[in-house]
Amino acid sequence: MKKILLAIGSMALCTAVNAQQEIRYEVSFPNAIHHEAQISMTIPSVPAGPLKVRMSRSSPGRYATHEFGKNVYNVKAFDANGKVLQLNQPEGDVYEIPTHGPTVKVTYTLFGNWIDGTYAGFDETHAHMNIPATFAFPIGLDKRPRIVKFNYADKPNWKVATQLKPMGNDTYYAPNFQYFMDSPTEIADYKMASWQVKNPDGKVQTIHLVSHSNDDQQTIDNYAEMLKKMVAEHLAVWGEFPNYDYGNYYFLQDVYPDNAGDGMEHRNSTSIVQRTPKIAGYESGLLGTFSHEYFHSWNVERLRPQGLEPFNFEHSNVTDGLWVAEGFTQYYGNLLLTRAGFRSIDNAAQTFNGLVNQVLNTPGAKNFTPIQASRYAVFADAGVAIDQTNKVNIFTSYYTYGAAVALALDLRLRADFKLTLDDYMRALWKAYGKTEIAYSMADLEKTLAQLTKNPTFASNFFKNYVYSTNKEDYAKLLLNAGFVLRKSNAGKAYTGLSRLAFENGKATLSQTSVGTPAYDAGLDIGDVLLTIDGVEIKDQATLSKITDDHKPGDVVTVTYNYRGQDKTTKLTFGENPALEIVSMEKTGGNLTPAMQAFRDSWLNSQVK
């Protein structure tokens, strides 16, 4: 994103040139009730030779491909006088104009009816636009500025909210292609609350909560007060706010039960789509997405791993660093809500418990490294596929995997060096975030070595827990803060069968996980479970009772049907591996003053 910043800084020097180069869009919504938008793109000073324009296949904040071209139709091309030009379609999302004059205008219809952070949605209440899902672009003209005008005179209550620079008359500016594509836009009868924040250097910027929801203004104002507390805890981690381009940051929130739901970070804004009837009554539960996405305005938008820079809109970017970019963000998203007082100590323990179970009890984390999990994102991040994958056995999400690594590193730094993960994030920010220099894994290790003044520790940490599948001793680390990690069902039998899908009285299995008794017994997805230990499996309660009536090591006969054939196998019950994190005081143990002090310094507010 450094190139974006430089382009903005030099904008005044090239205004005259840009005026001849600006690619202009117009968007209108005459058939919004049927989820259509009409879009035109005018390209001046077109270079000689065939002109290619296309839709994106990827989007900032997403790591898998998304075929946005499938919702584009009625594509036409014209010259400056309105004459129709020949238009070919060499690929599904690519259009070619073989002959043309200096100016080409392309028009098309876009269908959008999916409200999340990735796609576009239009109806009589709003126009919700992720830019790559909405706007075609000419190939090879990325440095040119973009201007977009929104036409919605027949919807007098609508207003535009976007990080794009306003130029008046519902017209907005982006200095180049990358910035334009990173600028989600909401047009609706929304409500807004804004407040100013000040950096240590005295610079004042404005944060805006823009909510398209069925709430009154007082609810929005009250929610903004909650966000202020959250934002303050984020600032305490990093020490300073990013320099938001044009001095503004926008939370673009869309709330309605039929939404797809999502959170998607961008350079100076985030698109937050939530699925409750309204904000009122759901305030605390909705904060998690806000906290995660806002942390991204530092971590990912400016502190970026190599592989995401520059962003490629024709295929997926691959990076080793999502365990930090997304995983550390996941860790902090919940931690900072605890520090802000929106989550209890028990809530925090429950969240940490989920992380530890994922990293210790899933085959993906047992057999694949955080880097390998990061690289699998090109297939896992809401990517479109209809065939069955083995993801349950080879992939643990880089969100939870990375968050578990962050938890371990935070506790290690606190216990061994009297440092914190906050210190590490500030060091990374100073070296690679504020400077916007994309980092490598070696850079992360080097910074950890410099921070701790212990290169051996840094080397061993990365060798064991980043480049390898070893895991930290979470029980020992958590005990420092007065938390006990233990098996939640010690001595209880376990099959590894997840909840069964019952249809017409038949219990059909989902995919089984490597290392579970069910997997070792040869059971897998699509098997119809008939009996266990001679008992017919009619419902979930029957399976639970059979399991409860046995102990680890017991062997039972299982009958099942696969593709019309009845089969028999033996299943050996294991011990339930599920873990739980419980505060020391709830176990009846002694919470020492040292444990209490460690916990307070970790989970209490850091706002001075």
Side-chain angles (χ1 to χ4, degrees), residues 218-491:
Q218 187 61 54
T219 297
I220 306 305
D221 292 341
N222 292 342
Y223 203 59
E225 291 300 316
M226 299 175 73
L227 292 180
K228 287 182 187 180
K229 291 184 66 177
M230 180 202 80
V231 166
E233 294 294 346
H234 284 253
L235 175 61
V237 172
W238 296 100
E240 63 180 339
F241 290 102
N243 285 322
Y244 299 124
D245 305 322
Y246 313 123
N248 293 281
Y249 183 90
Y250 298 88
F251 291 107
L252 303 178
Q253 183 188 26
D254 197 288
V255 181
Y256 194 69
D258 290 345
N259 287 344
D262 198 8
M264 189 57 60
E265 72 277 1
H266 297 274
R267 183 173 173 84
N268 306 299
S269 62
T270 181
S271 178
I272 295 177
V273 181
Q274 296 170 314
R275 303 182 64 186
T276 56
K278 54 176 65 177
I279 298 171
Y282 301 89
E283 290 90 343
S284 180
L286 300 179
L287 281 173
T289 307
F290 279 86
S291 188
H292 179 100
E293 301 307 331
Y294 189 59
F295 200 82
H296 272 318
S297 68
W298 290 270
N299 191 30
V300 145
E301 287 303 321
R302 290 160 176 87
L303 179 60
R304 293 173 69 77
Q306 291 178 358
L308 293 186
E309 189 69 26
F311 196 85
N312 192 309
F313 291 92
E314 298 185 21
H315 62 76
S316 301
N317 287 60
V318 178
T319 176
D320 292 343
L322 292 184
W323 62 277
V324 173
E326 291 292 354
F328 279 38
T329 301
Q330 184 77 2
Y331 172 71
Y332 270 108
N334 289 291
L335 174 63
L336 297 185
L337 292 180
T338 303
R339 291 181 179 174
F342 297 120
R343 300 288 186 268
S344 68
I345 297 300
D346 287 341
N347 293 149
Q350 186 177 19
T351 298
F352 300 144
N353 179 59
L355 302 179
V356 173
N357 269 286
Q358 280 287 302
V359 80
L360 295 182
N361 285 329
T362 60
K366 288 180 180 179
N367 300 309
F368 297 87
T369 70
I371 288 177
Q372 289 171 314
S374 298
R375 298 183 71 83
Y376 195 77
V378 296
F379 305 115
D381 187 31
V384 179
I386 61 172
D387 60 320
Q388 177 72 29
T389 71
N390 200 27
K391 188 166 68 172
V392 69
N393 287 315
I394 65 172
F395 176 70
T396 295
S397 171
Y398 41 86
Y399 286 87
T400 51
Y401 205 157
V405 175
L407 170 63
L409 182 56
D410 199 358
L411 296 177
R412 283 289 303 275
L413 289 172
R414 292 172 183 274
D416 297 350
F417 298 97
K418 306 305 179 186
L419 294 166
T420 71
L421 194 65
D422 298 5
D423 296 317
Y424 184 48
M425 300 312 292
R426 284 192 291 271
L428 289 173
W429 171 253
K430 182 178 180 180
Y432 303 103
K434 193 172 183 177
T435 58
E436 300 201 44
I437 300 172
Y439 61 79
S440 66
M441 297 300 97
D443 294 327
L444 296 179
E445 181 181 328
K446 179 180 72 174
T447 304
L448 185 60
Q450 293 170 341
L451 176 68
T452 60
K453 299 180 174 60
N454 191 326
T456 300
F457 165 76
S459 175
N460 287 339
F461 189 89
F462 273 77
K463 177 182 176 181
N464 290 322
Y465 310 122
V466 176
Y467 299 115
S468 181
T469 59
N470 296 329
K471 303 296 182 288
E472 278 277 16
D473 186 345
Y474 285 93
K476 179 181 177 181
L477 292 173
L478 287 162
L479 194 59
N480 290 314
F483 289 110
V484 176
L485 177 64
R486 65 190 186 187
K487 286 193 173 181
S488 57
N489 295 288

Side-chain angles (χ1 to χ4, degrees), residues 20-99:
Q20 306 300 319
Q21 300 291 314
E22 292 162 346
I23 296 168
R24 293 178 172 266
Y25 297 91
E26 286 203 26
V27 188
S28 59
F29 313 96
N31 197 27
I33 196 168
H34 292 299
H35 316 295
E36 287 185 339
Q38 299 298 325
I39 301 174
S40 70
M41 171 179 59
T42 301
I43 311 164
S45 304
V46 179
L51 171 67
K52 286 187 177 181
V53 300
R54 67 166 299 140
M55 290 297 292
S56 175
R57 298 186 65 236
S58 57
S59 179
R62 286 259 83 108
Y63 309 112
T65 53
H66 299 267
E67 305 297 343
F68 299 123
K70 65 184 179 300
N71 283 330
V72 170
Y73 42 93
N74 297 331
V75 182
K76 299 175 183 177
F78 307 89
D79 67 11
N81 298 316
K83 178 183 176 182
V84 175
L85 299 175
Q86 180 182 343
L87 185 72
N88 302 325
Q89 190 175 3
E91 301 175 42
D93 45 21
V94 177
Y95 300 87
E96 182 184 66
I97 300 107
T99 57

Side-chain angles (χ1 to χ4, degrees), residues 65-214:
T65 53
H66 299 267
E67 305 297 343
F68 299 123
K70 65 184 179 300
N71 283 330
V72 170
Y73 42 93
N74 297 331
V75 182
K76 299 175 183 177
F78 307 89
D79 67 11
N81 298 316
K83 178 183 176 182
V84 175
L85 299 175
Q86 180 182 343
L87 185 72
N88 302 325
Q89 190 175 3
E91 301 175 42
D93 45 21
V94 177
Y95 300 87
E96 182 184 66
I97 300 107
T99 57
H100 53 78
T103 297
V104 173
K105 180 178 181 179
V106 176
T107 65
Y108 58 93
T109 303
L110 176 72
F111 179 85
N113 192 27
W114 193 253
I115 311 300
D116 71 353
T118 306
Y119 295 95
F122 312 105
D123 59 35
E124 61 268 38
T125 70
H126 69 153
H128 175 91
M129 288 169 283
N130 182 39
I131 301 301
T134 307
F135 292 97
F137 60 90
I139 297 173
L141 303 180
D142 291 4
K143 293 182 179 180
R144 292 197 186 185
R146 264 62 173 176
I147 289 180
V148 56
K149 186 178 190 312
F150 300 107
N151 301 315
Y152 52 92
D154 58 330
K155 299 169 179 63
N157 295 327
W158 282 17
K159 307 178 290 290
V160 177
T162 181
Q163 70 175 38
L164 294 168
K165 182 181 179 181
M167 300 179 68
N169 193 30
D170 293 315
T171 302
Y172 295 82
Y173 174 90
N176 54 42
F177 173 66
Q178 288 275 335
Y179 191 91
F180 181 59
M181 296 293 266
D182 198 35
S183 303
T185 300
E186 178 80 15
I187 313 179
D189 183 15
Y190 58 75
K191 297 178 178 66
M192 183 167 68
S194 304
W195 69 95
Q196 291 187 328
V197 295
K198 182 183 287 188
N199 250 340
D201 64 3
K203 181 176 181 179
V204 175
Q205 304 181 96
T206 304
I207 297 179
H208 308 272
L209 169 62
V210 176
S211 294
H212 177 222
S213 66
N214 294 320

